[in-house]
Amino acid sequence: MVKVCSLFSGSSGNCIFISSGNTSILVDAGVSGRRIEEALTQIGESIKSISAILITHEHNDHISGAGILSRRHKIPIYANSGTWAAMRPFLGKLHPDHIRVTEVCSRFTIGDIDIRPFPIPHDAACPVGYNFFIEDKKITIATDIGHVNDELIGWLEKSHMILLESNHDIEMLKTGRYPWPLKKRIMGDFGHLCNEHTGKVVAHLAQNGTKFFLLGHLSKENNYPELAYQTVCNALVERQIYPDKDVFLDVAYRDRVSRMICI
Ligand SMILES: [Zn+2]
Ligand SMILES: [Zn+2]
């Protein structure tokens, strides 16, 4: 059975747990090592069973706990060479065996999990999302997305489960207290995805067979879980797709673990 759980998701830190039952990995480690260890214990897992930490990109909310976890528990870190170059100075001393270099769009395997990193439009060195192929299931993690184009839709389609960014409400962002340059960055083609846009993408994917959706990377300032959920829910209902009946839709929280999704 495939298990997916968001331990932390949002602009203040990200860490997602994925397991095939035999192999368990983390995607990003953007809060302290201790908080990640505690969150794993809370869901009945242990940091000792984690085989790898995969990094999506070098922003602090994705890497701040990676170095310490790698040192403390001898866990290899996987990222592409662009991301390694950008994040290496911030991870501290690492054992050479724990530095694993991947290539965008090239598949690799950890235990019985097949993994494919794919490019995402975001203002980092070489940011990626990940497809996981476990048994006959495709699981996708895609956050920190400035805009969605046809190529990206191609990476997301046919997923059984997807954790997709639903970063901000556009009105909250526009009228909020962020300085204009930051607002411009978030709204830009290489910033973050707004609830409305996420709703359109979720509706499209649901029409094409995806059943499990977790909305993630919510902004603390410019969004709240009920609003993200409701906006995406409305987009689904407009197309006669009903959450709880036709699809599973839930929100990944910034500061606590999400519901465990078992497929
Ligand atoms: Zn981020
Ligand atoms: Zn980022």
Side-chain angles (χ1 to χ4, degrees), residues 117-172:
F118 57 86
I120 53 169
H122 188 57
D123 52 0
C126 190
V128 296
Y130 287 100
N131 293 138
F132 298 91
F133 302 91
I134 305 173
E135 297 163 9
D136 58 345
K137 305 288 194 306
K138 177 181 175 182
I139 312 294
T140 299
I141 306 290
T143 66
D144 302 74
I145 298 165
H147 64 283
V148 177
N149 52 30
D150 287 350
E151 188 200 351
L152 183 55
I153 286 285
W155 301 115
L156 309 184
E157 276 176 345
K158 307 273 179 280
S159 298
H160 292 81
M161 183 263 156
I162 178 162
L163 190 157
L164 185 63
E165 170 164 65
S166 196
N167 181 257
H168 58 274
D169 174 76
I170 199 79
E171 288 309 314
M172 282 180 77

Side-chain angles (χ1 to χ4, degrees), residues 81-118:
S81 55
T83 299
W84 268 117
M87 74 178 177
R88 189 67 193 85
F90 305 102
L91 293 190
K93 201 168 156 43
L94 294 175
H95 192 286
D97 285 353
H98 296 155
I99 299 174
R100 307 283 171 92
V101 182
T102 60
E103 249 176 76
V104 183
C105 297
S106 292
R107 283 193 186 215
F108 60 99
T109 302
I110 299 172
D112 56 359
I113 303 182
D114 207 22
I115 301 159
R116 179 173 60 196
F118 57 86

Side-chain angles (χ1 to χ4, degrees), residues 157-232:
E157 276 176 345
K158 307 273 179 280
S159 298
H160 292 81
M161 183 263 156
I162 178 162
L163 190 157
L164 185 63
E165 170 164 65
S166 196
N167 181 257
H168 58 274
D169 174 76
I170 199 79
E171 288 309 314
M172 282 180 77
L173 177 65
K174 279 184 183 161
T175 56
R177 61 180 186 159
Y178 276 6
W180 173 240
L182 182 55
K183 290 183 182 182
K184 219 167 95 181
R185 187 218 140 207
I186 293 170
M187 285 190 280
D189 271 357
F190 295 89
H192 292 278
L193 213 55
C194 69
N195 295 339
E196 295 249 334
H197 202 158
T198 304
K200 289 197 179 100
V201 177
V202 166
H204 169 82
L205 295 173
Q207 284 176 316
N208 285 276
T210 301
K211 291 280 183 223
F212 293 85
F213 296 94
L214 203 49
L215 307 176
H217 211 296
L218 270 65
S219 164
K220 184 182 177 187
E221 287 284 328
N222 305 304
N223 209 355
Y224 52 94
E226 295 79 7
L227 182 58
Y229 180 90
Q230 202 52 53
T231 308
V232 174

Side-chain angles (χ1 to χ4, degrees), residues 9-33:
S9 183
S11 31
S12 40
N14 296 274
C15 186
I16 314 299
F17 169 84
I18 297 183
S19 176
S20 65
N22 300 311
T23 307
S24 299
I25 56 189
L26 297 178
V27 178
D28 291 326
V31 300
S32 75

Side-chain angles (χ1 to χ4, degrees), residues 45-114:
E45 302 288 339
S46 164
I47 190 73
K48 301 213 179 320
S49 64
I50 299 297
S51 301
I53 299 170
L54 311 188
I55 303 293
T56 58
H57 64 294
E58 72 277 14
H59 289 162
N60 194 48
D61 57 320
H62 298 263
I63 65 162
S64 62
I68 184 81
L69 286 179
S70 177
R71 278 188 291 283
R72 198 185 285 161
H73 301 286
K74 302 186 172 46
I75 305 172
I77 299 173
Y78 290 70
N80 58 58
S81 55
T83 299
W84 268 117
M87 74 178 177
R88 189 67 193 85
F90 305 102
L91 293 190
K93 201 168 156 43
L94 294 175
H95 192 286
D97 285 353
H98 296 155
I99 299 174
R100 307 283 171 92
V101 182
T102 60
E103 249 176 76
V104 183
C105 297
S106 292
R107 283 193 186 215
F108 60 99
T109 302
I110 299 172
D112 56 359
I113 303 182
D114 207 22

